[in-house]
Amino acid sequence: MIRTEYRYEMQKKDRLLVVRLFGEIDHHSAAGLRAELDGLLLKERPVRLVLDLSHIEFMDSAGLGLLLGRLRLMRELGGVMVLKSPNPRVLKILTLAGMERFMEIDGLKGAEK
Amino acid sequence: MKTRIKGEINRMELRLPAISVNEGIARAAVAGFCAQLAPDATELSDIKCAVSEAVTNCIVHAYAGRPGVCYITVVLLEGRVVRISVRDNGCGIADVRRAREPLFTTGDTDERSGMGFTVMENFMDRLTVRSRLGKGTLVLMSKEIGRSRQGE
Ligand SMILES: Nc1ncnc2c1ncn2[C@@H]1O[C@H](COP(=O)(O)OP(=O)(O)O)[C@@H](O)[C@H]1O
Ligand SMILES: [Mg+2]
């Protein structure tokens, strides 16, 4: 249960990059994740980044900061970012922050933009 | 801190150094204590999130990397209510009302979202914040477990 370590798997097809994140996203794990993801994005320069959250068991507001920061970078690179399969608890904090206004969240009906 | 409050059934007190690895340890410990009320997955996640926010604020803002202690008290009250306090002796908050507004943040180095207090407020039933500049901050929050399932 005490797992603030993170792990990820990635899949690349042309300029689509799918990154599946594992574990818990909090302030403790965010710094490492941020550096890891930014390195990946700058290297691969995808036009579409899919962050698969299906294996994220916990996320607090540090995760919101992490996601918004990566969205900013993706926009600078001229690409889009999509969130995939957050569990209902993770979805709850995403929608509390209105994240569906800034990025596509799959499985969330009525997402604007 | 008083040793016993009205309607108190059980209590856990923790003091943790203000280092980031303790964010996960604090929320896991509080979740373990709350398990005696058999909360559902959402309630448990709400509590973990709120604790994570308060403890992270101690680490990031109150002590800002300096050594310090984060005091966490969890009390189980009659009526299936958990009352959680998170206290620090850090820098304090100049304007609590402003700090509680969504998106307000003084953190610039990290990617802070300014949503910590908003999460605590929305995921718990009650949130009280008391702070004195240069003295520290007390965050008090409570939640009734099973409320959403009543009458089912
Ligand atoms: N324990 C604390 N000690 C000092 N300042 C705090 C504390 N908790 C919160 N703050 C202040 O309140 C602001 C808002 O907190 P929060 O809503 O958690 O957003 P964030 O942590 O993302 O900045 C912080 O930026 C900080 O200025
Ligand atoms: Mg915070």
Side-chain angles (χ1 to χ4, degrees), chain A residues 1-4 24 26-28 34 58-62 64-66 68-70 72 89 92-93 96-97, chain B residues 20-21 23-25 27-28 41-42 45-46 48-49 52-53 56 60 110-113 115-116 119 122-123:
Chain A
M1 223 171 148
I2 304 166
R3 268 197 298 158
T4 41
E24 304 193 324
D26 61 5
H27 158 260
H28 179 69
R34 178 162 65 227
F58 174 85
M59 190 180 103
D60 65 17
S61 75
L64 300 173
L66 179 83
L68 288 169
R70 304 307 56 74
R72 206 174 308 131
R89 275 90 55 201
K92 185 173 176 181
I93 187 168
L96 173 69
Chain B
S20 66
V21 70
E23 294 157 10
I25 291 172
R27 62 177 180 261
T42 305
S45 174
D46 288 351
K48 285 173 73 176
C49 234
S52 199
E53 298 297 349
T56 301
V60 173
D110 276 335
E111 292 172 322
R112 319 287 325 146
S113 62
M115 289 296 285
V119 166
N122 280 274
F123 287 9

Side-chain angles (χ1 to χ4, degrees), chain B residues 57 61-62 88 91-93 99 104-107 112-117 137:
Chain B
N57 282 350
H61 303 296
D88 65 67
C91 66
I93 302 173
F104 177 85
T105 181
T106 55
R112 319 287 325 146
S113 62
M115 289 296 285
F117 280 131
T137 301

